[in-house]
Structure formats: structure tokens, C-alpha cells
Amino acid sequence: MAWLFVMCVVLGVISAYFLRAKCSGPHLGFGLFCVCFIYNIFFITYYMRILEFSRFLFFGYHPEFIKENVFVLWVAMIGIFFHCGAMPSSSEK
């Protein structure tokens, strides 16, 4: 099941950078920025809950899963950093 979490993180990061590419540029307005911001903040807070409390969305508290699959913590931490860099800006093309 750990591979499923890794795939979800990869798909979330890919879609965040896709949103960044589509929303960046001179047409970036407050609404588009808020959509990208809310999308990235959702995933960042989700990964923070995994890191701090071993609590998964829809599955609840599972510290035994974290103990068996320690790399899930590393994947969540890397996902946080990638989502932080996925914010659009108006100066990009």
C-alpha cells in the first residue's frame, strides 16, 4: 500500500506544476492564484498531518504503517517542498 501513497504524491505534484504552468503569466488573477494556493495548501497540510500525527486522510491514525514504511515520511516531506514551489507568478510565461 505504500506504493499507492507514493503514486498519489507524484500525481499531486505533477498536477500542481501543471496548474502552475497553466496559470502563470500575465493572465494570472486573484482567483486563479487562490485556486492554486488552496490546492497546494491542502496537500501541504495533508502531508504535515502524516509527518506529525501519522494520520491519513480517509484512513485515520495508523502509526504501524509508518513504522513499517519509513520512506513514506520522506516522500511526504519531499512532497511538501515540491508543493511549496508550485505557486504561479505573473512574471513567468
Side-chain angles (χ1 to χ4, degrees):
M1 288 307 281
W3 63 270
L4 183 62
F5 176 75
V6 173
M7 290 304 298
C8 288
V9 171
V10 169
L11 290 175
V13 168
I14 287 172
S15 61
Y17 277 93
F18 179 76
L19 274 174
R20 176 185 180 191
K22 286 295 184 185
C23 296
S24 292
H27 61 279
L28 176 67
F30 184 71
L32 283 176
F33 181 80
C34 285
V35 167
C36 293
F37 182 75
I38 290 169
Y39 182 81
N40 287 316
I41 289 296
F42 170 77
F43 281 104
I44 289 171
T45 56
Y46 172 62
Y47 299 149
M48 291 293 289
R49 286 186 185 133
I50 292 171
L51 290 171
E52 292 180 29
F53 307 117
S54 301
R55 188 170 301 275
F56 291 88
L57 186 66
F58 302 123
F59 297 112
Y61 181 67
H62 289 288
E64 67 280 354
F65 179 75
I66 297 296
K67 288 180 184 175
E68 293 173 6
N69 304 300
V70 178
F71 70 92
V72 167
L73 296 176
W74 287 102
V75 171
M77 192 177 305
I78 291 168
I80 289 171
F81 289 117
F82 277 125
H83 275 283
C84 286
M87 291 304 298
S89 67
S90 60
S91 62
E92 294 181 17
K93 282 190 165 187

